[in-house]
């Protein structure tokens, strides 16, 4: 029985209509009323399912790849996370890709650039670095680094370092959906460092101070957001502000020149849940990939509970109800996230609701 709702398609099949549809199909056309309800849903209905990947389950398999492939042969040694509803586009959620990359001391993953934007969040190991458009950036635990759209980038671990694992985040599925992706390999494999090490941090990570000069690129000139100042800022914020009932104390990583997101297509944030803090549920358009950077707790996503601890990765699909809770009564818990909110916002598609009590 079809419900007869005014303004929604409600046409019964008759032999005449069946014949008509067959004729339209032969002309590579179709009757809108047969698909209108599907292509114009009442509200977003994500193909992505809420997921959590336990680091404890993944880590050994990530390390196994060290003996199986080289960065030379594989390009990047990465185990990527597949959402069962988004396998066809290699997304972890929505139009966002994520994976775990591993490198041994002394290895280099050669330079390339692409139209998709990327980020890294450092999970373990010492001595990792990334070179972005000639800027060499040293990477430590819980540091967040950008390799924006079109920038040459290579990674490595110094000979005195240890095996390093980091999370990659990219908008590859989105850029492919837009049929706008390009990929190039740098002749000669590696860039020559054109600037002092960590110079973008020296220039742009000051306390709300910026150097003279202009910057015309659409991404943040600050390429690395270090953990220590991020955590210190979160602690100060959490001690003096109520924060959000839905997110606790959440700070957005920002382009220091605009106050806006770090890249045009990917936003990122770090949130702190105070000891014992449990947030209220809300839902909004836009997808997010989370990594627990500190502590432990759980999130309820679309009615399903996911317990997380340090380094676990989970996803919140667009328009899914979600709430977070810190498991500890004495320690704070921190969640890193990257999301597609810059795209959602710039297209005027942001919508948010709190769950009725
Ligand atoms: C990429 O460039 C990296 O630079 C990692 O480390 C993962 C996945 C898809 C496409 C490009 C990297 C990637 C990627």
């Amino acid at each position: 029985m079809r419900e007869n709702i005014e303004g929604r398609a409600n046409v019964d099949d008759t032999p005449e209509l069946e014949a008509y549809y067959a004729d339209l199909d032969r002309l590579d056309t179709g009757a809108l009323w047969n698909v209108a309800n599907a292509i114009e849903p009442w509200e977003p209905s994500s193909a992505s399912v809420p997921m959590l990947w336990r680091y404890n389950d993944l880590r050994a398999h990530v390390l196994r790849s060290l003996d199986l492939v080289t960065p030379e042969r594989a390009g990047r040694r990465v185990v990527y996370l597949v959402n069962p509803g988004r396998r066809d586009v290699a997304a972890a959620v929505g139009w966002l890709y994520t994976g775990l990359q591993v490198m041994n001391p002394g290895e280099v993953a050669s330079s390339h650039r692409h139209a998709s934007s990327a980020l890294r969040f450092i999970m373990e190991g010492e001595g990792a670095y990334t070179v972005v458009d000639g800027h060499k950036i040293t990477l430590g635990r819980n540091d967040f680094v950008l390799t924006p759209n079109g920038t040459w980038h290579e990674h490595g671990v110094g000979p005195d370092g240890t095996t390093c694992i980091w999370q990659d985040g990219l908008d590859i599925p989105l850029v492919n959906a837009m049929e706008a992706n390009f990929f190039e390999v740098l002749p000669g494999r590696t860039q020559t460092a054109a600037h002092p090490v960590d110079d973008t941090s020296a220039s742009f990570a000051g306390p709300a101070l910026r150097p003279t000069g202009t910057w015309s690129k659409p991404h943040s000139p600050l390429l690395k957001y270090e953990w220590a100042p991020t955590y210190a800022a979160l602690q100060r914020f959490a001690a003096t502000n109520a924060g959000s009932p839905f997110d606790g104390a959440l700070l957005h990583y920002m382009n220091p020149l605009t106050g806006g997101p770090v890249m045009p297509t990917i936003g990122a944030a770090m949130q702190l849940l105070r000891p014992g803090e449990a947030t209220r549920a809300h839902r909004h358009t836009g997808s997010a990939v989370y990594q627990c950077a500190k502590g432990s707790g759980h999130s309820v996503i679309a009615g399903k509970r996911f317990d997380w601890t340090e380094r676990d990765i989970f996803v919140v699909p667009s328009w899914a109800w979600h709430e977070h809770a810190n498991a500890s009564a004495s320690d704070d818990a921190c969640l890193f996230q990257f999301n597609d909110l810059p795209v959602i916002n710039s297209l005027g598609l942001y919508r948010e609701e709190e769950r009725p009590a």
Side-chain angles (χ1 to χ4, degrees):
M1 241 331 245
R2 284 185 226 176
E3 241 185 306
N4 193 359
I5 299 171
E6 194 155 4
R8 298 298 273 187
N10 178 32
V11 178
D12 289 323
D13 289 340
T14 61
E16 291 78 7
L17 275 172
E18 300 276 17
Y20 175 62
Y21 298 148
D23 287 343
L24 290 183
D25 190 54
R26 273 189 288 280
L27 293 165
D28 296 311
T29 58
L32 175 62
W33 58 87
N34 280 336
V35 296
N37 294 356
I39 67 174
E40 199 57 51
W42 297 107
E43 58 178 35
S45 158
S46 182
S48 307
V49 293
M51 292 281 294
L52 178 140
W53 292 266
R54 278 193 190 81
Y55 194 54
N56 203 24
D57 296 335
L58 299 185
R59 186 174 180 274
H61 295 288
V62 172
L63 293 173
R64 261 171 83 196
S65 71
L66 287 167
D67 297 325
L68 297 171
V69 291
T70 59
E72 288 77 21
R73 298 299 287 267
R76 299 291 192 261
R77 205 194 270 117
V78 179
V79 171
Y80 72 104
L81 310 189
V82 180
N83 191 293
R86 302 295 279 160
R87 196 175 291 276
D88 51 337
V89 292
V93 65
W95 298 104
L96 297 170
Y97 159 103
T98 199
L100 300 183
Q101 184 162 170
V102 61
M103 291 191 80
N104 264 335
E107 288 183 335
V108 178
S110 62
S111 206
H112 64 206
R113 65 177 175 182
H114 35 70
S116 42
S117 297
L119 59 87
R120 331 273 151 207
F121 190 77
I122 313 308
M123 300 173 79
E124 61 172 272
E126 306 285 326
Y129 66 87
T130 282
V131 186
V132 184
D133 274 352
H135 300 274
K136 182 169 179 177
I137 300 159
T138 57
L139 300 173
R141 207 181 146 272
N142 283 353
D143 287 353
F144 163 52
V145 64
L146 312 181
T147 55
N149 162 342
T151 57
W152 291 110
H153 56 281
E154 71 218 41
H155 319 294
V157 178
D160 302 329
T162 61
T163 298
C164 290
I165 301 178
W166 60 81
Q167 180 182 14
D168 295 320
L170 289 96
D171 59 7
I172 282 249
L174 174 73
V175 177
N176 288 340
M178 299 304 290
E179 301 178 331
N181 218 347
F182 292 88
F183 189 94
E184 275 177 278
V185 169
L186 185 73
R189 291 181 47 84
T190 53
Q191 306 173 64
T192 16
H195 309 273
V197 172
D198 285 328
D199 71 305
T200 77
S201 298
S203 304
F204 292 101
L209 297 166
R210 70 168 177 84
T212 306
T214 54
W215 176 258
S216 56
K217 295 182 181 166
H219 61 81
S220 169
L222 178 63
L223 296 171
K224 173 173 65 167
Y225 298 77
E226 290 180 6
W227 169 240
T230 302
Y231 183 53
L234 269 175
Q235 285 179 301
R236 283 194 303 271
F237 181 64
T240 50
N241 290 271
S244 147
F246 310 111
D247 286 315
L250 181 147
L251 294 175
H252 299 273
Y253 292 98
M254 69 173 185
N255 175 335
L257 297 184
T258 64
V262 291
M263 296 186 284
T265 55
I266 309 182
M270 183 72 80
Q271 75 194 85
L272 183 150
L273 300 167
R274 287 158 277 226
E277 184 165 12
T279 68
R280 285 172 46 202
H282 73 157
R283 65 179 177 181
H284 52 78
T285 49
S287 306
V289 179
Y290 288 80
Q291 182 185 145
C292 173
K294 181 175 186 292
S296 62
H298 75 265
S299 301
V300 182
I301 307 164
K304 195 166 167 195
R305 178 178 167 139
F306 296 91
D307 287 87
W308 38 257
T309 186
E310 239 173 81
R311 302 296 168 230
D312 291 348
I313 293 171
F314 62 94
V315 296
V316 176
S318 184
W319 208 236
W321 294 113
H322 57 283
E323 61 194 83
H324 310 293
N326 182 349
S328 171
S330 53
D331 291 323
D332 50 36
C334 294
L335 295 173
F336 169 77
Q337 68 163 288
F338 69 93
N339 57 57
D340 59 7
L341 290 177
V343 179
I344 291 282
N345 285 325
S346 60
L347 299 180
L349 298 174
Y350 188 74
R351 197 139 141 193
E352 179 182 4
E353 271 180 14
E354 64 177 84
R355 191 166 60 199

